Amino acid sequence: MGIIVAIFSLLSINYQAFTQSNLSSNYIIAMNLSLTFCIAVMLGMVLFLVNGWGKKWFSIFYILILLALGVVVFMFCMIPHSPA
């Protein structure tokens, strides 16, 4: 169910963004990465709610993925966005 919601939100937000006239590739990448970060946080929290923090390797892997994704999102959001 979460995957369906994630795909639908990516498609609808990208459609709304593409109808604007001033877009750059950096803006589109930053928008998609930030949406991916939000989806990863929400789905991960659901997994932790259901499974708990008992699986140590999954917890470490999840936190590392979130940190890496957060750094990449921050880097792309700091790049000035000029119209294409």
Side-chain angles (χ1 to χ4, degrees):
M1 186 69 162
I3 294 172
I4 294 170
V5 170
I7 291 171
F8 178 73
S9 60
L10 268 173
L11 290 175
S12 65
I13 288 177
N14 279 336
Y15 175 75
Q16 291 174 0
F18 285 129
T19 58
Q20 296 177 359
S21 61
N22 54 355
L23 291 177
S24 68
S25 60
N26 288 338
Y27 177 77
I28 294 169
I29 291 171
M31 183 180 53
N32 286 337
L33 283 174
S34 62
L35 182 62
T36 304
F37 180 74
C38 293
I39 291 168
V41 168
M42 289 182 196
L43 288 178
M45 290 300 123
V46 168
L47 284 174
F48 284 129
L49 181 68
V50 171
N51 295 332
W53 290 92
K55 298 181 180 180
K56 183 179 178 181
W57 292 110
F58 176 74
S59 302
I60 292 171
F61 180 71
Y62 175 70
I63 290 170
L64 288 176
I65 291 293
L66 280 183
L67 286 174
L69 195 56
V71 167
V72 172
V73 167
F74 182 75
M75 286 175 22
F76 268 100
C77 289
M78 291 295 118
I79 296 173
H81 306 293
S82 60

